[in-house]
Amino acid sequence: MALPILLSLYITLLFTTLPTTLPQSQPSSSSSSSSSSSSSSSLDVNILLTKIKPTLQGQTENLLLSSWTPSTPLCQWRGLKWAFTNSTPLPCDPSLSSQTWTNLSLYKDPSLRLLSLQLPSANLSGTLPRELGQLSSLQSLYLSVNSLSGPIPLELGYSSSLNDVDLASNLLNGSVPTSIWNLCDGGLVSLRVHGNSLSGALPQPALPNASCNNLGFLDLGQNKFTGDFPEFITGFVGLKLLDLSGNMFYGQIPQSLSGLNLEKLNLSYNNFSGVLPNFGEMRFGAEVFEGNNVGLCGPPLGSCGASSGLSSGAIAGMVIGLMTGVVVLASLFIGYVQGKRKKNTDEEDEEGFEEGEDEETGGGGGGGGGGGEGKLILFQGGEHLTLEDVLNATGQVMEKTSYGTIYKAKLGDGGTIALRLLREGSCKDGSLCLPVIKQLGRVRHENLIPLRAFYQGKRGEKLLIYDYLPNRSLHDLLHESRVGKPALNWARRHKIALGIARGLAHLHTSLETPITHGNLRSKNILVDDFFVARLSEFGLDKLMITAVADELVAIAKTDGYKAPELQKMKKCSSRTDVYAFGILLLEILLGKKPGKNGRSGDFVDLPSLVKVAVLEETTMEVFDVEVLRGIKNPMEDGLVHALKLAMGCCAPVATVRPTMDEVVKQLEENRPRNRSALYSPAETRSEIGTPF
Ligand SMILES: *[C@@H]1O[C@H](CO)[C@@H](O)[C@H](O)[C@H]1NC(C)=O
Ligand SMILES: *[C@@H]1O[C@H](CO)[C@@H](O)[C@H](O)[C@H]1NC(C)=O
Ligand SMILES: *[C@@H]1O[C@H](CO)[C@@H](O)[C@H](O)[C@H]1NC(C)=O
Ligand SMILES: *[C@@H]1O[C@H](CO)[C@@H](O)[C@H](O)[C@H]1NC(C)=O
Ligand SMILES: *[C@@H]1O[C@H](CO)[C@@H](O)[C@H](O)[C@H]1NC(C)=O
Ligand SMILES: *[C@@H]1O[C@H](CO)[C@@H](O)[C@H](O)[C@H]1NC(C)=O
C-alpha cells in the first residue's frame, strides 16, 4: 500500500514551493563521452544546435525548434530545461527572473547542462539523434506523439543520467538496442515506447539477473515485438506498470510474473498461450489477457481443459450484432414516430404502471383514448406535454451512446424538447425502472437538467423527455476550437467547476434517497452563455441492465473518468463520482482531454501529468495558458488550490477523497479574485492576444 504515501508526498510537493534542487543522479561525473568537458562554450548547447535540432526536425523547418537559436534568449527555447554544472537549475520562470528570461548571451555559459527535453506533440518528423547520448545531465526525454521515424539509436543507452523516456506514438522502427538497459544504472524510472513499429525480440540486459531497481513503468504496447515473453522483466522488482499489449509475443506467460507488485498489467492482443500465472484474488480482469491464443486459460479466463464458454470471436460477434441492432432500432423508431398519425383510437389496454403521485396521461388528443401507444408520465414543468405532441414530434439525432440515442425534437407548437430513446433491452422492465424514473423526475436543481416526462410504449420503447438546452457541452467548450467561442479564463472555469460540484453535491446529499451520477464526464455537462453548468445523464445507471451499465464503466475507463476501484457499475458510489469529478476538474484546469486520445490512441493520464509537472517543478506550465491569463498570483486566486483539490479527488484510495460537500466548500472559499469578466459572455477568444 504505497499509494497513499505517494499521493500525500506529491500533494505536499505541490505546495512546498521551496526552490529545491532537482533530483540529480550523479551530475556529469560519469560523462561517458570523452570529448571536451566544460571548456569554452556550453557543450550541450553546441550539441543541441548542430546535431539534435537538425536531426529531430527532419526535412522541414519546425515551428518549436526554430526557437532554438542564438538570437532568442535561452529561456525561451521551447521544451528545454537547464541546470548549471553545480546542479542549480537555471531559473526560467518569466515572473521571477526577468534577467535570465531576456539574457541573450546566456547560451554561451559553459557551465550550462541540459536537464530535460520535452517536445510532445510538436510535429517533429526527423529521427532520434545519436548525440542524445552525449548529454551527460539529461534526465528526461519526452518526445511522444510526433512523427519521428527510424531506429532508437544505440547511443541513447549511453546517456548517463537519463531516467525518464517517453517516445510513445511515433513511427520508430527496428529493434530496441540492448544498451537501453544501461539506463537502469542511471536509475531508469520509466520507459514508454507505446504505439511505434518496433520489432524483433526484446533484448536481454547485458548482465544476467538485472533488477533495474527504479524502473516503475515499462510500456511497450502496440508495437511489433515478437518472441517469447521477455522473462527477464520479471526480475525488475519495482515494476508497477507493464504493458506488452498489441504485439506478437507468444508462448507461456511465466509464473514469476505474479511475483511482481504490479498495479497495471496489459498482455492483451498477443499470441500468448498456456496456463496463466496465479495472480491471486481477482487482481486482474479478463480484459488484461483478451485477444490471445484461444489456448490461454486459467482464472480470470476460462478453466483449462474444459472447452466451455464463448471464444473472444463469438463475443465480438455479439457486440457487433448489438451495435447493428442500435442503428436499426433507432431508424425504425424514427420512422415509427414520424409515420404515426394518430388515427387509431383503440381503448387504452395497457396494464399500465402503478399509480403514483405524478400525473400520468394515457394518450394525447385532448385526453382522449390512448390508442395502444403506451403511457406518458409527466413531472413538474412537463405538464403541458401530451402523448400526441411527443409522438408527432419530428426528431433529429443529436448523439448516440451505448444505451440510447438523443434526439432534438420539434413539437407541433414550435417548442423543442430533447428525447432520449433508450436502446431496446438496455433497460430494466417497466416495473423495475419506474420507481427510479419517478425519483429522477423529482430532482430539481439549478445545476441539473430536469427530467420533464417519461414515455413507455407498448412495444417496450422507453423515452426520457428533457428540456432542450441549446448550450454547448463542456467537452466542446474545452476541446473544440471554433471561432466565436467564449474565452475560458479562470473565473469562468471556476464558475463552471463550482456549478458541477453543486449539482453533484445535491445528488449525493440533498435528496431523500441519494443518487449517484455514475456517468460524469465533460460530454454530459452543458454550459450556458453565463457559464452555468448543468449535469445530464445522472442516475441512469440504475435503469440499465447490468451488462449495459458495465459497458458504461468500460467507456468511463477508456475516457479516463473511472475510479481505479470501480469494476462494475453496481459498485459505483459517491466516491467514484468524486474521482470522476477530480478528473473533470483537471480537464478544466489543464484544458486537456483525459483518457484515450482518438488520434494517437495514447492514454492521457491527467493526474500523472500533474504529478510529473510537480516533480519537475513545472507546475505552472501544466495549466491551460488561457487559465493563467490575467492571473497575478495563482495561490491567492485559488488556482493552485483547485489543482490540489482535484488531485485529492483523484486519490487512488477512495477513502482519502473528499466529499462533494467538502469540494463545494473549498471551491467557494478559494475563488478567483478578479471576476469582472464573468458575466460578459460576448467576449470571445478571437479578441484576445496570444499568450507569451
Ligand atoms: C547573461 O548571462 C551571462 C552568462 O551566464 C552572464 O555572464 C551575464 O552576466 C548575464 N547578463 C545579465 C545582464 O544578466
Ligand atoms: C507539421 O509538419 C509538416 C511538415 O512536416 C507541415 O506541413 C505541417 O504544416 C506541420 N503542422 C503543424 C500543425 O505545424
Ligand atoms: C524503418 O522504416 C524506414 C522507412 O521509414 C525503412 O526504410 C526501414 O527499412 C525500416 N527499418 C526496419 C528495420 O524496418
Ligand atoms: C541469477 O539468479 C539465479 C536464480 O535466482 C541464480 O541461480 C543465478 O546464479 C544468478 N546468476 C547470477 C550471475 O547472479
Ligand atoms: C490493453 O491494451 C489493448 C491493446 O493495446 C487496449 O485496447 C486495451 O484498452 C488495454 N487494456 C487496458 C486494461 O489498459
Ligand atoms: C499463435 O501461436 C500458435 C502456436 O502457439 C501458432 O500456431 C499460430 O500460428 C500463432 N498465431 C499467430 C497469429 O501468430
Side-chain angles (χ1 to χ4, degrees), residues 194 221-222 243 245-246 265-269 287-288 290 557-558 596:
H194 197 105
Q222 299 288 3
D243 189 343
S245 69
L265 175 66
N266 196 346
L267 302 180
S268 63
Y269 301 100
E287 74 280 2
V288 166
E290 74 188 349
K557 182 172 184 181
T558 310
K596 205 160 217 170

Side-chain angles (χ1 to χ4, degrees), residues 360-422:
E360 299 184 12
T361 112
E373 274 149 339
K375 284 221 165 190
L376 188 66
I377 303 184
L378 302 175
F379 302 110
Q380 181 253 314
E383 296 88 347
H384 63 287
L385 292 168
T386 65
L387 187 53
E388 186 174 34
D389 285 344
V390 173
L391 293 185
N392 289 339
T394 48
Q396 167 195 343
V397 176
M398 291 201 294
E399 197 194 332
K400 281 185 181 164
T401 62
S402 59
Y403 49 95
T405 306
I406 307 178
Y407 302 90
K408 170 185 173 181
K410 270 235 149 33
L411 296 173
D413 68 2
T416 310
I417 52 177
L419 295 177
R420 175 184 285 286
L421 170 65
L422 297 177

Side-chain angles (χ1 to χ4, degrees), residues 128 141 143-144 152 156 165-170 172 192-193 196:
L128 283 175
L141 181 64
L143 295 173
S144 56
I152 296 180
L156 190 67
V165 180
D166 188 352
L167 302 172
S169 302
N170 277 287
L172 301 173
R192 298 180 191 264
V193 295
N196 281 282

Side-chain angles (χ1 to χ4, degrees), residues 414-661:
T416 310
I417 52 177
L419 295 177
R420 175 184 285 286
L421 170 65
L422 297 177
R423 192 177 96 193
E424 191 171 26
S426 69
C427 190
K428 292 174 178 160
D429 284 351
S431 58
L432 284 175
C433 94
L434 203 65
V436 183
I437 290 283
K438 287 189 169 172
Q439 194 195 355
L440 295 178
R442 277 194 292 269
V443 177
R444 293 291 179 270
H445 185 272
E446 187 196 10
N447 300 109
L448 299 170
I449 294 179
L451 178 62
R452 298 300 187 195
F454 172 71
Y455 167 80
Q456 171 151 322
K458 259 197 122 173
R459 293 173 184 75
E461 318 89 289
K462 296 188 180 65
L463 270 180
L464 298 166
I465 297 154
Y466 302 91
D467 289 345
Y468 170 74
L469 301 174
N471 306 315
R472 275 186 269 251
S473 77
L474 178 59
H475 178 272
D476 289 356
L477 210 52
L478 287 173
H479 308 302
E480 304 235 306
S481 43
R482 225 179 296 139
V483 195
K485 198 160 72 162
L488 281 183
N489 60 17
W490 171 224
R492 289 170 174 177
R493 290 189 201 218
H494 181 275
K495 182 171 184 186
I496 293 171
L498 184 54
I500 300 169
R502 284 179 175 150
L504 211 49
H506 182 79
L507 292 177
H508 288 179
T509 50
S510 303
L511 301 171
E512 229 167 278
T513 320
I515 294 179
T516 309
H517 189 299
N519 195 14
L520 191 67
R521 50 176 54 238
S522 58
K523 284 187 179 155
N524 289 345
I525 294 162
L526 292 180
V527 179
D528 72 10
D529 286 345
F530 297 91
F531 306 98
V532 174
R534 292 188 175 82
L535 314 189
S536 66
E537 313 278 300
F538 49 86
L540 293 191
D541 60 288
K542 305 270 182 318
L543 296 179
M544 304 297 155
I545 60 167
T546 315
V548 175
D550 289 346
E551 245 176 74
L552 288 184
V553 173
I555 295 170
K557 182 172 184 181
T558 310
D559 292 345
Y561 296 101
K562 187 191 80 72
E565 76 276 14
L566 183 63
Q567 300 303 335
K568 301 274 172 210
M569 188 56 103
K570 230 179 25 217
K571 291 277 169 63
C572 87
S573 68
S574 56
R575 292 199 191 275
T576 58
D577 274 355
V578 171
Y579 182 92
F581 176 82
I583 297 291
L584 199 56
L585 184 52
L586 289 178
E587 186 177 352
I588 291 173
L589 292 169
L590 274 52
K592 286 201 169 65
K593 223 191 277 196
K596 205 160 217 170
N597 183 312
R599 226 180 307 156
S600 68
D602 256 7
F603 192 88
V604 180
D605 182 354
L606 295 183
S608 300
L609 282 186
V610 175
K611 205 162 114 182
V612 168
V614 169
L615 291 173
E616 303 220 327
E617 302 188 325
T618 55
T619 311
M620 284 302 119
E621 289 174 28
V622 89
F623 292 107
D624 191 339
V625 285
E626 212 170 28
V627 171
L628 291 176
R629 192 167 299 145
I631 296 288
K632 299 224 175 53
N633 183 339
M635 303 288 261
E636 284 180 31
D637 278 298
L639 192 53
V640 178
H641 190 94
L643 188 66
K644 222 168 110 182
L645 182 63
M647 291 303 279
C649 292
C650 302
V653 176
T655 49
V656 181
R657 296 174 202 147
T659 63
M660 281 319 296
D661 282 339

Side-chain angles (χ1 to χ4, degrees), residues 7 152 161 184 208 223 229 264 299 348 388 431-432 521:
L7 178 82
I152 296 180
S161 306
C184 291
N223 276 286
F229 188 102
K264 282 195 179 147
E348 168 72 40
E388 186 174 34
S431 58
L432 284 175
R521 50 176 54 238

